[in-house]
Amino acid sequence: MEILEFVQTNWLEILQMTLEHIELVGLAVGIAIITGVPFGIYISQRESLANLVLAVAGIIMTIPSIALFGIMIPIFSLINQGIGYLPAIVALILYSQLPIIRNTYIAIKNVDPNVRDAAIGMGMTTFQRLIKVELPLAFPVIMAGVRMAIVLTIGIGAIAAYIGAGGLGGYIARGISTSYAAMIQVGAISVSTLAISIDVLLGKFQKRFSSRESIKS
Amino acid sequence: MIEFQNATKVYESVDKSVTAVNNINFHVEPGEICVFLGPSGCGKTTLLRMVNRLIPITRGSIEVEGKNINSMDIIKLRRSIGYVIQHNGLFPNMTIEDNINVVPKMLGWDQNRMKKRCSELMEMMGLDPGQFQKRYPFELSGGQQQRIGIARALAADPPVMLMDEPFGALDPIIRDHLQNEFLRIQKEMKKTILFVSHDIDEAIKLGDKVAIFDTGELMQIGTPDEILSNPKNDFVRDFVGDDRALKRLTLLKVRDLMVLSDGFRKHRLNNEWHGQVISVNENLKTALSHLLSAPNGEVCVVDDHNKKLGVLCVSDFNLFTEVHPKDISIVR
């Protein structure tokens, strides 16, 4: 088997590229969570803003990934970062915004109005209400958004190799340009395996976390 | 003590303004339960939620314990008022213990005090702390959840409680049971309570005062007996129902009737009694029901120790046609 031989001879490089890929996706989604979750909470308190924000995030999602990377190049050329890591990260952050913002928004909105009413009526401040009641209740849905964002960016991250971001996409890009089938296959399989295993891992993590904070009402 | 002075709520929108609560004036004495009664959309819940400023007042003022609510810090105000809602509003992510401790925790109580208070409240509500305090709300039945809802509102011992149809979502048997327990607890606690209901029977049973609302106006306020025996207008008359004379019977006990009728056919007790028996503490409506189902139209009245006191029959009810509970209490 050509693929097995390829893996045998290049396993160190595959491992390294996988780590690169994880780093790329981890950084992008990490930043997306830090920006997206507060943003989702904010628009859940400000209905007028919500539609606009969700529409814009939706539009970004519809831009084909390769085109978005293309758009990044001239913009980042202005600061001499045209190709490479930075534009890739920014594009991936933009992609992961929508599922995170949308799920946070929906999750907070869907907290039982009676529960919210009780929290306000008992004299919780807005911050206490968020931290003690709304966020714990919204957690599973926000987490679902994060998982979606991660799987999405692992896939799109492979394309980022075309603008020199590194990661497993490198094998696919190189394989295509040199017509090396085994290399393409190894790249593709590695990307899928990574996406699936991280999703399963996060699912387990979420389950463990939620069993403590039971969500049924 | 809660006082409403010209309390008014107007909802303004672009093309019209709706007056949800119009110029309400009355006060509730300390330790009293005042039931707000009326059809949906009558403004009773709006008025209740104005007290803890969940809905801001448009005109007029509301005073709680002598202080205008608008002059108080909104968070402090809410923490000093117990709040119970229909669908209990328990926090599903917290254990029963944590739910009960929400307000004490915000007020900065120490662990021991909270623990003690929590057990005390759960016992008061008839739930074993050891068995329930570590559980989550979804593991409890509807009735149990509602008890916890009440315990949570009582946690920091607020002098004033707002209750928005707390028993509305429960089945009749559990509701009746919780109403009785609630009255028992209130006897000790003596909270000032505003209680929203749409059920006239609940209002009669629980209220020291009943305030009837329609389309944002206060139709009548008075003791249950005043409302039932002397409805002020057609709306109140319709709302309390044509059987108000029967409902009024629930306000009086067999004991009250015995005070009015001397003798009470004691001579009939010389022989062995084979018919129905009723407690002297039973209300007159139940007594009447017993009489109607008794074969010879008579029932024997017994006291708490099962001692036979006399024989009751339907004609005795004539005695109390124009009698009110307050007159009886004077006789007592």
Side-chain angles (χ1 to χ4, degrees):
Chain A
M1 285 290 287
E2 222 183 329
I3 298 175
L4 284 181
E5 269 171 40
F6 186 89
V7 172
Q8 250 168 12
T9 46
N10 296 296
W11 67 272
L12 209 66
E13 197 188 18
I14 294 172
L15 206 68
Q16 197 204 336
M17 283 177 131
T18 309
L19 287 178
E20 248 174 57
H21 208 93
I22 291 173
E23 198 191 317
L24 186 73
V25 169
L27 190 63
V29 176
I31 294 172
I33 292 171
I34 293 168
T35 54
V37 172
F39 208 57
I41 294 169
Y42 181 73
I43 62 170
S44 69
Q45 316 288 321
R46 237 158 257 252
E47 201 57 40
S48 52
L49 212 64
N51 287 332
L52 179 74
V53 170
L54 292 177
V56 170
I59 289 168
I60 293 173
M61 283 283 279
T62 62
I63 302 173
S65 46
I66 195 91
L68 188 61
F69 288 126
I71 295 168
M72 290 291 141
I73 294 172
I75 296 172
F76 280 87
S77 298
L78 296 174
I79 52 166
N80 289 326
Q81 294 277 350
I83 56 168
Y85 202 63
L86 191 64
I89 288 275
V90 173
L92 291 182
I93 291 170
L94 286 178
Y95 270 116
S96 36
Q97 287 294 303
L98 179 70
I100 293 176
I101 293 179
R102 189 186 50 199
N103 278 42
T104 307
Y105 168 78
I106 291 172
I108 301 271
K109 276 272 141 196
N110 279 356
V111 169
D112 181 355
N114 288 310
V115 169
R116 183 177 293 125
D117 187 54
I120 300 172
M122 289 170 74
M124 285 194 184
T125 60
T126 310
F127 183 72
Q128 284 170 331
R129 196 177 84 226
L130 267 174
I131 296 296
K132 290 186 176 174
V133 181
E134 294 185 336
L135 278 180
L137 292 178
F139 178 75
V141 180
I142 296 177
M143 202 54 201
V146 169
R147 279 167 71 180
M148 204 194 295
I150 288 177
V151 173
L152 197 78
T153 38
I154 287 177
I156 295 171
I159 299 168
Y162 278 102
I163 58 169
L168 288 165
Y171 270 157
I172 300 174
R174 238 192 297 157
I176 289 174
S177 55
T178 59
S179 298
Y180 190 173
M183 193 184 246
I184 303 173
Q185 284 155 359
V186 168
I189 291 168
S190 312
V191 169
S192 332
T193 315
L194 185 64
I196 293 167
S197 44
I198 289 195
D199 191 50
V200 168
L201 224 71
L202 283 172
K204 285 221 167 109
F205 166 75
Q206 179 189 346
K207 219 176 191 174
R208 202 165 150 196
F209 213 71
S210 316
S211 62
R212 263 198 306 133
E213 319 216 343
S214 281
I215 298 312
K216 284 184 221 163
S217 58
Chain B
M1 169 92 163
I2 301 169
E3 190 158 8
F4 298 91
Q5 282 169 345
N6 301 320
T8 303
K9 176 68 199 178
V10 182
Y11 285 104
E12 300 276 2
S13 61
V14 189
D15 47 349
K16 58 177 180 187
S17 68
V18 179
T19 308
V21 171
N22 195 7
N23 253 340
I24 303 294
N25 283 294
F26 67 93
H27 69 275
V28 181
E29 298 290 340
E32 252 184 7
I33 302 177
C34 178
V35 180
F36 293 4
L37 189 64
S40 32
C42 70
K44 56 189 193 295
T45 300
T46 308
L47 188 63
L48 183 88
R49 289 163 63 89
M50 280 158 74
V51 176
N52 63 357
R53 288 172 67 187
L54 284 170
I55 296 174
I57 194 167
T58 312
R59 274 194 304 278
S61 71
I62 300 173
E63 283 182 7
V64 174
E65 306 275 289
K67 274 187 259 172
N68 186 324
I69 53 163
N70 276 343
S71 70
M72 296 172 74
D73 175 61
I74 193 163
I75 299 294
K76 268 196 194 133
L77 172 79
R78 287 174 182 162
R79 288 177 188 173
S80 70
I81 297 177
Y83 185 47
V84 187
I85 57 178
Q86 182 175 3
H87 297 283
N88 69 64
L90 294 179
F91 303 130
N93 56 317
M94 297 183 193
T95 59
I96 299 306
E97 188 180 19
D98 290 339
N99 262 292
I100 292 178
N101 285 338
V102 166
V103 176
K105 212 176 234 166
M106 291 192 293
L107 294 175
W109 288 21
D110 64 60
Q111 285 295 328
N112 281 336
R113 190 172 168 205
M114 281 197 286
K115 204 162 236 161
K116 222 178 113 203
R117 180 65 179 158
C118 177
S119 313
E120 186 185 308
L121 282 165
M122 290 188 73
E123 264 155 30
M124 194 199 296
M125 292 293 153
L127 295 171
D128 174 25
Q131 191 187 347
F132 286 102
Q133 64 183 1
K134 293 291 174 212
R135 294 204 190 172
Y136 286 90
F138 75 89
E139 297 175 277
L140 271 60
S141 71
Q144 289 169 336
Q145 287 181 14
Q146 204 51 266
R147 285 167 209 241
I148 298 300
I150 295 170
R152 182 175 70 171
L154 285 168
D157 208 13
V160 174
M161 301 261 286
L162 307 179
M163 307 181 86
D164 190 356
E165 302 205 27
F167 310 131
L170 303 172
D171 67 71
I173 295 169
I174 304 282
R175 186 190 311 149
D176 191 57
H177 185 64
L178 278 190
Q179 284 168 346
N180 293 337
E181 277 186 55
F182 172 66
L183 281 176
R184 173 181 60 79
I185 292 164
Q186 166 66 1
K187 242 181 208 159
E188 298 164 25
M189 309 271 268
K190 288 275 166 225
K191 302 286 181 198
T192 311
I193 297 171
L194 301 182
F195 189 109
V196 167
S197 176
H198 60 257
D199 177 3
I200 174 77
D201 294 312
E202 184 172 66
I204 293 166
K205 184 169 177 184
L206 301 181
D208 295 309
K209 266 186 195 167
V210 177
I212 299 194
F213 294 88
D214 184 38
T215 58
E217 311 269 350
L218 178 61
M219 293 282 123
Q220 185 171 3
I221 178 161
T223 63
D225 180 55
E226 278 163 9
I227 300 268
L228 289 173
S229 59
N230 192 14
K232 218 172 175 178
N233 56 30
D234 288 343
F235 175 81
V236 178
R237 200 168 297 124
D238 281 352
F239 195 82
V240 298
D242 290 335
D243 61 343
R244 62 175 189 274
L246 271 182
K247 283 181 177 135
R248 209 160 76 82
L249 290 177
T250 60
L251 299 171
L252 290 159
K253 299 205 159 127
V254 175
R255 183 192 300 281
D256 301 324
L257 203 52
M258 289 184 71
V259 174
L260 294 171
S261 88
D262 36 33
F264 224 53
R265 298 182 203 84
K266 277 207 169 128
H267 59 278
R268 294 284 316 276
L269 291 172
N270 296 337
N271 306 326
E272 191 89 338
W273 183 262
H274 292 295
Q276 293 197 33
V277 165
I278 190 170
S279 158
V280 73
N281 292 318
E282 199 58 78
N283 74 50
L284 284 181
K285 190 178 175 184
T286 313
L288 183 61
S289 169
H290 274 271
L291 278 173
L292 293 175
S293 63
N296 53 359
E298 291 175 331
V299 293
C300 174
V301 180
V302 295
D303 68 5
D304 294 337
H305 308 292
N306 244 357
K307 188 175 160 243
K308 296 190 184 70
L309 300 175
V311 173
L312 184 68
C313 72
V314 177
S315 60
D316 291 325
F317 281 75
N318 290 334
L319 288 168
F320 111 122
T321 321
E322 276 308 311
V323 174
H324 299 282
K326 63 172 188 287
D327 308 333
I328 305 250
S329 56
I330 294 165
V331 178
R332 270 178 196 157

